[in-house]
Amino acid sequence: MSKIKMNTPLVEMDGDEMTRILWQMIKDELLSPFVELNTEYYDLGLEYRNETDDQVTVDAANATKKYGVAVKCATITPNAARMTEYNLKEMWKSPNGTIRAMLDGTVFRAPIIVKGIEPCVKNWKKPITLARHAYGDVYKNTEMVIPGPGKVELVYTAADGTEQRELVHEFTGAGIAQGMHNLNNSIESFARSCFNYALDTHQDLWFATKDTISKKYDHTFKDIFAEIYEDEYKEKFEAAGITYFYTLIDDAVARVMKAEGGFIWACKNYDGDVMSDMVSSAFGSLAMMTSVLVSPQGYYEYEAAHGTVQRHYYKHLKGEETSTNSVATIFAWSGALRKRGEMDGNKELMDFADSLEAATIETIEHGKMTKDLALITSIENPTVLNSRDFILEIRKELEKKLA
Ligand code: NAP
Ligand code: MG
């Protein structure tokens, strides 16, 4: 069998610990035997980030702008313990934060649905994709403890020195106050990323805020989404047969619980933080979740939603057997390869991505899985496999499909 060719490289960002081990196994067993992998490789492992003063992360993000598609392995975000463990020059920032800031995107997370790993919510039949705005609001706030009686005001000083004031509260006793902000630019790119992703994946888009209470702040989110939809996306949505649906956040939460899934739920920063944890745990596991950063310019970076699985890595180093779930990392690769194929008009590569995903899902549905899934599956007597054997079983399924 001749290998599938790739005309344009995709950006490959290697990572740390257990996921770095899985990364190599996936390449050796599931990709290289079938595809002539054409990647521009960046080593985002902590050692090399430290050696290059984190320049490698910046280079990888710039390469993503050049080639349009990237796949990223989970990476360590250093803390005090990692400073000594890796003898670091500095407590380098989170690579995801650096890349997100450079690409200015929205992160979309969707569960991978498998028969036998049932969502806790009975009527959820299709995935619910969460799109979280990642700038501002309470995450960039300024807070004040108010010790006693007095006046708290919001003051805006324009460039020409003129002032505008709004009374927050006339305090008669002690209390608390908080100021937060957002930027029209950021909300606009959030909206465009969501509309593009809905078109891309052919799903309805839901968006919700508390605009009835927050008549200026939240209402601005609602207005910006509505305006961009009318001006740039309405016709495309109608042609694609999908809808944009705006409602109040409490109404959205109630409807999500009764819905069957199959849509994208765009959330403001705080709502997205809280709701993504609820939705992902209800669907089963972080290792059964796809995650992609979509920039408003149309750059895509695929990753797993979980971390480097440190505990398993330490077992691996001691020579003990691990049963680490590689599904999210496999889907990061299949997502990136499919997008590469789509951008290059490479149907063979797109079909390969479909086969790889189908082989992965069927392996689990045939009762062969890692320990984390064996603990929650409704399949009787599942076969618990170690990290490597699980990947080898997927390879067998994949070979059948490609034969
Ligand atoms: P983690 O890697 O997400 O793992 C936490 C626990 O979740 C594991 O110990 C394991 O539970 C379970 N788990 C996660 N992924 C799994 C998988 N694929 N298969 C089986 N079980 C899985 O979080 P962490 O160990 O707290 O963090 C390790 C490092 O990851 C940190 O340095 C952090 O900075 C980094 N991190 C990176 C990213 C990213 O790059 N996207 C995201 C989050 C965290 P059991 O131990 O019970 O088996
Ligand atoms: Mg959270």
Side-chain angles (χ1 to χ4, degrees), residues 181-200:
H181 78 280
N182 220 300
L183 305 170
N184 286 13
N185 258 344
S186 175
I187 303 167
E188 285 162 15
S189 19
F190 173 46
R192 288 197 180 93
S193 298
C194 292
F195 289 129
N196 285 337
Y197 195 73
L199 283 169
D200 240 37

Side-chain angles (χ1 to χ4, degrees), residues 218-236:
D218 277 21
H219 217 293
T220 298
F221 278 83
K222 178 185 178 181
D223 291 345
I224 287 177
F225 265 70
E227 218 173 281
I228 292 181
Y229 178 69
E230 285 298 323
D231 292 352
E232 301 170 29
Y233 290 95
K234 194 167 191 259
E235 282 170 25
K236 292 182 199 159

